[in-house]
Coordinates of all heavy atoms in Angstrom, one line a residue:
L216 N -68.4 -77.1 -87.8 CA -67.8 -78.4 -87.5 C -66.2 -78.4 -87.8 O -65.8 -77.6 -88.7 CB -68.4 -79.4 -88.4 CG -69.8 -79.8 -88.1 CD1 -70.3 -80.7 -89.3 CD2 -70.2 -80.4 -86.8
D217 N -65.6 -79.2 -87.3 CA -64.0 -79.4 -87.6 C -63.7 -80.6 -88.6 O -62.7 -80.5 -89.2 CB -63.3 -79.6 -86.3 CG -63.4 -78.5 -85.3 OD1 -63.1 -77.3 -85.6 OD2 -63.8 -78.8 -84.1
A218 N -64.7 -81.5 -88.6 CA -64.5 -82.6 -89.5 C -65.9 -83.3 -89.8 O -66.9 -83.1 -89.0 CB -63.5 -83.5 -88.9
Y219 N -66.0 -84.0 -90.8 CA -67.1 -84.8 -91.2 C -66.7 -86.1 -91.9 O -65.7 -86.1 -92.6 CB -67.9 -83.9 -92.0 CG -69.1 -84.7 -92.9 CD1 -70.2 -85.1 -92.3 CD2 -68.8 -85.0 -94.2 CE1 -71.2 -85.8 -93.0 CE2 -69.8 -85.7 -94.9 CZ -71.0 -86.1 -94.2 OH -72.1 -86.8 -95.0
Y220 N -67.6 -87.1 -91.7 CA -67.4 -88.4 -92.5 C -68.7 -89.1 -92.6 O -69.6 -89.0 -91.8 CB -66.4 -89.3 -91.8 CG -66.9 -90.2 -90.8 CD1 -67.4 -91.4 -90.9 CD2 -66.9 -89.6 -89.4 CE1 -67.8 -92.3 -89.8 CE2 -67.3 -90.4 -88.3 CZ -67.8 -91.7 -88.5 OH -68.3 -92.2 -87.4
E221 N -68.8 -89.8 -93.7 CA -70.0 -90.5 -93.9 C -69.7 -91.6 -95.1 O -69.1 -91.3 -96.0 CB -71.3 -89.8 -94.2 CG -72.6 -90.5 -94.2 CD -73.8 -89.8 -94.0 OE1 -73.7 -88.5 -93.8 OE2 -74.9 -90.4 -94.2
A222 N -70.2 -92.8 -94.8 CA -70.1 -93.9 -95.8 C -71.4 -94.0 -96.8 O -72.5 -93.6 -96.3 CB -70.0 -95.2 -95.1
R223 N -71.1 -94.4 -98.0 CA -72.2 -94.7 -98.9 C -73.2 -93.7 -99.2 O -74.4 -93.9 -98.9 CB -72.9 -96.1 -98.3 CG -71.9 -97.2 -98.2 CD -71.3 -97.6 -99.6 NE -72.2 -98.3 -100.5 CZ -71.9 -98.5 -101.7 NH1 -70.8 -98.1 -102.3 NH2 -72.7 -99.2 -102.5
L224 N -72.8 -92.6 -99.5 CA -73.7 -91.4 -100.0 C -74.0 -91.6 -101.5 O -73.3 -92.3 -102.1 CB -73.1 -90.1 -99.6 CG -72.9 -89.8 -98.2 CD1 -72.1 -88.6 -98.0 CD2 -74.4 -89.5 -97.5
Y225 N -74.9 -90.7 -101.9 CA -75.1 -90.6 -103.4 C -74.5 -89.4 -103.8 O -74.3 -88.5 -103.0 CB -76.6 -90.7 -103.6 CG -77.3 -92.0 -103.4 CD1 -78.1 -92.2 -102.2 CD2 -77.1 -93.0 -104.2 CE1 -78.7 -93.3 -102.0 CE2 -77.7 -94.3 -104.0 CZ -78.5 -94.5 -102.8 OH -79.0 -95.6 -102.5
P226 N -74.1 -89.4 -105.2 CA -73.3 -88.1 -105.7 C -74.1 -86.9 -105.3 O -73.5 -85.8 -105.0 CB -73.2 -88.4 -107.1 CG -73.4 -90.0 -107.3 CD -74.3 -90.3 -106.1
W227 N -75.4 -86.8 -105.4 CA -76.2 -85.6 -105.2 C -76.3 -85.1 -103.8 O -76.4 -84.0 -103.6 CB -77.6 -85.8 -105.8 CG -78.3 -87.0 -105.4 CD1 -78.8 -87.5 -104.2 CD2 -78.4 -88.3 -106.3 NE1 -79.2 -88.7 -104.2 CE2 -79.0 -89.2 -105.5 CE3 -78.0 -88.5 -107.6 CZ2 -79.3 -90.5 -106.0 CZ3 -78.3 -89.8 -108.1 CH2 -78.9 -90.8 -107.2
D228 N -76.0 -86.1 -102.9 CA -75.9 -85.8 -101.5 C -74.7 -84.8 -101.1 O -74.8 -83.9 -100.4 CB -75.7 -87.0 -100.5 CG -76.9 -87.9 -100.4 OD1 -78.1 -87.3 -100.5 OD2 -76.7 -89.1 -100.4
Y229 N -73.5 -85.1 -101.7 CA -72.3 -84.5 -101.4 C -71.6 -83.6 -102.3 O -70.7 -82.9 -102.1 CB -71.3 -85.5 -100.8 CG -70.8 -86.5 -101.9 CD1 -69.7 -86.1 -102.7 CD2 -71.5 -87.7 -102.0 CE1 -69.3 -87.1 -103.7 CE2 -71.0 -88.6 -103.0 CZ -69.9 -88.2 -103.8 OH -69.5 -89.1 -104.7
A230 N -72.1 -83.7 -103.6 CA -71.3 -83.0 -104.7 C -71.2 -81.5 -104.5 O -70.0 -81.0 -104.6 CB -72.1 -83.2 -106.1
A231 N -72.2 -80.9 -104.2 CA -72.1 -79.4 -104.0 C -71.4 -79.2 -102.6 O -70.4 -78.2 -102.5 CB -73.4 -78.7 -104.0
G232 N -71.7 -79.8 -101.6 CA -71.2 -79.6 -100.2 C -69.6 -79.8 -100.2 O -68.8 -79.1 -99.5
A233 N -69.2 -80.9 -100.9 CA -67.8 -81.2 -100.9 C -67.0 -80.1 -101.6 O -65.8 -79.7 -101.1 CB -67.5 -82.5 -101.7
L234 N -67.5 -79.5 -102.6 CA -66.8 -78.4 -103.3 C -66.7 -77.2 -102.4 O -65.7 -76.5 -102.3 CB -67.5 -78.0 -104.6 CG -66.9 -76.7 -105.3 CD1 -65.4 -77.0 -105.9 CD2 -67.8 -76.3 -106.4
I235 N -67.9 -77.0 -101.7 CA -67.9 -75.8 -100.8 C -66.9 -75.9 -99.7 O -66.2 -75.0 -99.3 CB -69.3 -75.5 -100.3 CG1 -70.3 -75.1 -101.5 CG2 -69.4 -74.6 -99.2 CD1 -71.8 -75.4 -101.2
A236 N -66.8 -77.2 -99.2 CA -66.0 -77.4 -98.1 C -64.4 -77.3 -98.6 O -63.6 -76.6 -98.0 CB -66.1 -78.8 -97.5
A237 N -64.2 -77.9 -99.7 CA -62.8 -77.8 -100.3 C -62.4 -76.3 -100.5 O -61.3 -75.9 -100.3 CB -62.7 -78.6 -101.6
E238 N -63.4 -75.5 -101.1 CA -63.1 -74.2 -101.4 C -62.9 -73.3 -100.1 O -62.4 -72.2 -100.2 CB -64.1 -73.6 -102.3 CG -64.1 -74.1 -103.8 CD -62.8 -73.6 -104.5 OE1 -62.4 -72.5 -104.3 OE2 -62.2 -74.4 -105.2
A239 N -63.4 -73.9 -99.0 CA -63.2 -73.1 -97.7 C -61.9 -73.6 -97.1 O -61.7 -73.3 -95.8 CB -64.5 -73.4 -96.9
G240 N -61.2 -74.6 -97.6 CA -59.8 -75.0 -97.1 C -59.9 -76.3 -96.5 O -58.8 -76.8 -96.0
A241 N -61.0 -77.1 -96.6 CA -61.0 -78.4 -96.0 C -60.2 -79.5 -96.9 O -60.2 -79.2 -98.1 CB -62.4 -79.0 -96.0
W242 N -59.7 -80.5 -96.2 CA -59.0 -81.5 -96.9 C -60.1 -82.6 -97.1 O -60.8 -82.9 -96.2 CB -57.8 -82.0 -96.1 CG -56.6 -81.2 -96.1 CD1 -56.5 -79.8 -96.6 CD2 -55.3 -81.5 -95.7 NE1 -55.4 -79.3 -96.3 CE2 -54.5 -80.3 -95.7 CE3 -54.8 -82.7 -95.2 CZ2 -53.1 -80.4 -95.4 CZ3 -53.4 -82.7 -94.8 CH2 -52.6 -81.6 -94.9
L243 N -60.1 -83.3 -98.3 CA -61.0 -84.3 -98.5 C -60.4 -85.7 -98.9 O -59.4 -85.6 -99.4 CB -62.2 -83.9 -99.5 CG -63.2 -83.0 -99.1 CD1 -62.8 -81.6 -99.3 CD2 -64.5 -83.3 -99.8
A244 N -61.0 -86.8 -98.4 CA -60.4 -88.1 -98.8 C -61.4 -89.2 -98.7 O -62.5 -89.0 -98.1 CB -59.2 -88.4 -97.8
G245 N -61.1 -90.3 -99.3 CA -61.9 -91.5 -99.2 C -61.2 -92.4 -98.1 O -60.5 -91.9 -97.2
L246 N -61.4 -93.6 -98.3 CA -60.7 -94.6 -97.6 C -59.5 -95.4 -98.3 O -59.7 -95.5 -99.5 CB -61.6 -95.7 -96.8 CG -62.5 -95.3 -95.7 CD1 -63.4 -96.4 -95.3 CD2 -61.7 -94.7 -94.5
H247 N -58.4 -95.7 -97.7 CA -57.5 -96.7 -98.2 C -56.9 -96.1 -99.6 O -56.8 -96.8 -100.6 CB -58.1 -98.1 -98.5 CG -58.7 -98.5 -97.1 ND1 -58.0 -98.7 -96.0 CD2 -59.9 -98.8 -96.8 CE1 -58.8 -99.1 -95.0 NE2 -60.0 -99.2 -95.5
G248 N -56.7 -94.8 -99.5 CA -56.0 -94.2 -100.7 C -57.0 -93.7 -101.8 O -56.6 -93.1 -102.7
Q249 N -58.3 -94.0 -101.6 CA -59.3 -93.6 -102.6 C -59.7 -92.1 -102.4 O -59.6 -91.6 -101.2 CB -60.5 -94.5 -102.4 CG -60.3 -95.9 -102.9 CD -59.6 -96.1 -104.1 OE1 -60.2 -95.6 -105.2 NE2 -58.4 -96.8 -104.2

Side-chain angles (χ1 to χ4, degrees):
L216 293 171
D217 300 302
Y219 163 77
Y220 78 96
E221 189 157 356
R223 303 298 287 168
L224 291 169
Y225 292 105
W227 42 76
D228 288 328
Y229 65 85
L234 175 68
I235 293 163
E238 287 295 322
W242 291 10
L243 281 91
L246 286 176
H247 310 302
Q249 295 303 306

